[in-house]
Amino acid sequence: MLNKKVLILCQSIHHGNTMKIAKVIGEQLNAEIKKPSEIKSINKYDIIGFGSGIYDDKHHKSIFNFIDKLSKQNRKKAFIFSTSGVPIKILGKKFFLNYTKKCTNFLEKELTAKGFKVIGNLSLPGFNTNVFLKYIGGINKNRPNEKDLTKAKEFAIKIKDSF
Ligand SMILES: Cc1cc2nc3c(=O)[nH]c(=O)nc-3n(C[C@H](O)[C@H](O)[C@H](O)COP(=O)(O)O)c2cc1C
């Protein structure tokens, strides 16, 4: 991945869960990590990563708003990542993967329609204390954990190798 400039756009507002993932990926790809509101133009970047927690079954709206405002891209490479608060231990890995695939599809479609080439996506569990969950101490405690961060590292290495 010689001389590729990578930008990671990350909105991580609930517990900083997704930012933990962004940092691991960013380290591998030598990427700049910014919030969507901090970036005016993506022209100088070769690859853009888009990440946030999942809110009402989708990535955060600031990510969608950012993409909305972009001009049509010419197959610029993009990857997607998220953390999600569905209880993976209770519902199981298969449910988690199916659910997060559905969530990620919204963003993937949006990016593809904008002319991006989506080269990978990663969904991991994140600590969730939304509404009543805070009264029971939250779910997905301590997620993302070390294993999750290792998955993020492996994901980033794959992205790097695809160049
Ligand atoms: C207002 C709100 C809505 C949420 N909606 C969902 C949801 O629809 N599906 C889900 O899996 N998790 C949902 N969550 C949990 C977050 O996706 C999860 O905690 C995520 O790891 C937060 O990432 P962040 O700390 O990077 O913001 C929601 C959390 C909040 C605060």
Side-chain angles (χ1 to χ4, degrees), residues 12-19 53-57 83-86 99 126-128 130:
S12 182
I13 55 175
H14 189 35
H15 287 291
N17 298 331
T18 319
M19 186 52 78
I54 295 297
Y55 297 90
D56 299 325
D57 302 334
T83 60
S84 151
V86 289
Y99 171 73
F127 183 46
N128 185 4
N130 191 28

Side-chain angles (χ1 to χ4, degrees), residues 128-139:
N128 185 4
T129 56
N130 191 28
V131 282
F132 70 90
L133 293 171
K134 62 175 167 284
Y135 301 114
I136 57 162
I139 52 174

Side-chain angles (χ1 to χ4, degrees), residues 20-26 28-29 79-83 88 92-94 96-97 100 120-126 143-160:
K20 290 180 187 158
I21 306 301
K23 284 186 175 156
V24 171
I25 297 174
Q28 287 302 313
L29 302 181
F79 60 87
I80 296 172
F81 61 101
S82 67
T83 60
I88 189 165
K93 244 187 196 170
K94 198 171 165 199
F96 183 86
L97 288 175
T100 52
N121 65 65
L122 175 73
S123 304
L124 292 165
R143 307 297 289 263
N145 59 19
E146 279 308 311
K147 272 191 183 169
D148 298 321
L149 298 183
T150 300
K151 281 186 189 160
K153 186 175 174 183
E154 287 164 359
F155 172 77
I157 290 168
K158 267 194 201 154
I159 298 277
K160 202 158 50 170

Side-chain angles (χ1 to χ4, degrees), residues 106-120:
F106 291 113
L107 183 55
E108 186 158 351
K109 269 192 189 159
E110 200 81 1
L111 286 169
T112 306
K114 244 326 150 179
F116 284 93
K117 183 181 179 197
V118 179
I119 58 170

